Amino acid sequence: MARPGITYKEVAAAAEALTEQGETPSIKRVRDHLGTGSPNTIHRHLSAWRAEQ
């Protein structure tokens, strides 16, 4: 059975939390914040989040 992946909402929430803490969201920081996630998936969602900002 495949694992459920992280969602855009999870990455966006992590990126917003990091921004509020004065940190620039990065793949590593988002992954550390979430405690899980594929760097490729985080990159895709983080890029979409940045495009909306």
Side-chain angles (χ1 to χ4, degrees), residues 1-52:
M1 181 183 288
R3 296 184 302 187
I6 58 170
T7 66
Y8 170 81
K9 284 185 176 183
E10 291 171 312
V11 172
E16 289 171 15
L18 290 165
T19 300
E20 288 174 6
Q21 295 170 8
E23 297 185 39
T24 301
S26 66
I27 295 170
K28 182 181 181 332
R29 286 183 179 139
V30 169
R31 190 168 197 271
D32 290 345
H33 185 86
L34 294 174
T36 188
S38 156
N40 290 333
T41 302
I42 292 171
H43 178 265
R44 186 173 68 244
H45 293 322
L46 191 56
S47 293
W49 177 79
R50 284 186 178 132
E52 292 180 359

